[in-house]
Amino acid sequence: MNSSEFDRRFDAGDSVIGALDLDAATRPRLQQKRVNVDFPLWMVEQLDREATRLGVTRQSIIKIWLAERLEHRLEPSPSTAALT
């Protein structure tokens, strides 16, 4: 199936799942890379308390908080948003 046929079927609401090679599918920029970070004990204890409170692992809380912080940095600040 060529791309025009794929688009036509998709736009018509037909299933196109059979035309996809899901075994070869990737999620760009979501590959995992292991890193080691040393934290002071007080920080690990607070991370563990918060992770337990939320019912997630320490690793999950670190990932969530880092992602939130990085996403926040990508948002335009009110001062620069007024310039656009």
Side-chain angles (χ1 to χ4, degrees), residues 39-47 49:
F39 294 109
L41 183 58
W42 69 267
M43 195 178 292
V44 173
E45 290 169 349
Q46 288 190 4
L47 285 166
R49 276 195 295 277

Side-chain angles (χ1 to χ4, degrees), residues 12 19 26 28 33 48 52 54 57 65 80-81:
T26 61
K33 179 169 177 73
D48 288 344
T52 298
L54 296 173
T57 64
W65 285 355
T80 59

